[in-house]
Amino acid sequence: SALTRSSRSIVKSVLSREQAEGVGARVRRSIGRPELRNHDPFLMLDEFNVDKNGGFPDHPHRGFETVTYMLEGQFQHEDFAGHKGTIGPGDLQWMTAGRGIVHSEMPVKSQTRAHGLQLWINLPKEHKMCEPQYQELLDKEIPRATPQEGVSIKVIAGESHGIKSKVYTRTPTMYLDFKMDKNKTVEQSIPASYTGFIYMLKGTAYIGDKEFEGKAHHTLTFSEDGAETIKIQTKDEDAHFVVIAGEPLKEPIVQHGPFVMNTKEEIQKTFLDYQFGMNGFERARDWHSTIA
Ligand SMILES: Nc1ccc(F)c(C(=O)c2c[nH]c3ncc(Cl)cc23)c1F
Ligand SMILES: [Fe+3]
């Protein structure tokens, strides 16, 4: 008989309501909210909505990666090394902060609003102090899997139905953007060791053998039972959601805002490096962005 590959089930569903963040920004916090901590290797997932007067002015990062995926509108970013750019709908910025980045992330003034997702992925000890790196992909450069008519899967990281992303993930990560028409069923392979979840953006989807209902702005966390697929169905409405999964690092996490290290001594050292412009924060000394 055909091997019935067991499918991940949903452990819980948590609604994210909008909260204030940054300057005049509104975010729905998925991972990182009180009910959704400890989803190693993930530290935070925000669905952000920023009007043209808001944004995330000059701030640092060390020890992890920020993955910004635009859904609507345009975002400008500029860092202390003069790296700047604009990302628009469907575009991706995978920023490995490593030993240190100071940047600002602001909507393009002419836009009505900027809407997207920012995911924070922890880095393993050996990469926390790596050279910062950007991997930036335009919408049209991100491959799509279309396992059937009416099911489109943008492969932001990892692999889906034989389509592979070219993003280099220091922490093994799968990041897939699903658009499903109604009355479709699809299975997605997930490595047995990965921690994962679905964040619903629009519509309704039914997950797993028990058809657990996923509604907009809800996070649905996967069971960690070693099953290697997740089954996703739509019924009488389309659905738009992301599937995010990754290899847990199983390292101690000491986080102070935008600094994520393994020990409090490393955090204390990070504050000194940032304050005095050392060990990767040399350019932080009296840098101010031109876009904030
Ligand atoms: N420390 C700290 C404290 C507060 C912050 F808001 C931030 C921060 O920048 C962001 C939080 N969510 C976000 N979504 C989208 C974008 Cl573009 C940026 C952020 C940050 F880093
Ligand atoms: Fe940032």
Side-chain angles (χ1 to χ4, degrees), residues 152-265:
S152 166
I153 305 166
K154 266 177 89 175
V155 185
I156 294 166
E159 170 174 356
S160 179
H161 299 88
I163 304 293
K164 288 195 175 85
S165 159
K166 59 185 177 191
V167 170
Y168 167 50
T169 58
R170 288 169 177 76
T171 300
T173 300
M174 168 185 284
Y175 192 155
L176 307 170
D177 176 6
F178 277 70
K179 285 186 175 167
M180 291 176 71
D181 289 355
K182 54 188 170 192
N183 301 314
K184 299 291 177 187
T185 299
V186 67
E187 289 230 31
Q188 172 60 42
S189 299
I190 299 196
S193 61
Y194 278 25
T195 305
F197 60 92
I198 283 176
Y199 182 72
M200 296 295 304
L201 289 163
K202 251 191 219 142
T204 306
Y206 300 87
I207 322 296
D209 297 329
K210 296 196 178 72
E211 301 184 2
F212 196 110
E213 187 178 79
K215 304 288 287 181
H217 312 308
H218 283 73
T219 304
L220 292 91
T221 62
F222 295 169
S223 57
E224 295 176 17
D225 50 16
E228 294 184 307
T229 67
I230 185 89
K231 185 168 82 173
I232 304 160
Q233 300 177 65
T234 49
K235 295 186 178 178
D236 48 14
E237 62 171 329
D238 302 354
H240 182 194
F241 54 91
V242 290
V243 173
I244 296 173
E247 185 73 51
L249 301 178
K250 299 194 174 71
E251 293 180 358
I253 298 173
V254 179
Q255 172 166 7
H256 277 255
F259 302 139
V260 184
M261 303 304 283
N262 297 111
T263 67
K264 64 181 190 328
E265 290 73 22

Side-chain angles (χ1 to χ4, degrees), residues 21-23 27 29 44 46-48 50 55-57 59-61 64 68 75 103 105-106 117-118 120 256-259:
E21 192 50 282
V23 171
V27 305
R29 181 147 297 158
M44 187 194 84
D46 274 358
E47 179 185 1
F48 60 86
V50 189
F56 303 90
H59 61 276
H61 293 286
F64 63 102
T68 309
F75 236 52
H103 70 170
E105 301 157 288
M106 307 296 285
L117 294 171
Q118 184 165 97
W120 288 11
H256 277 255
F259 302 139

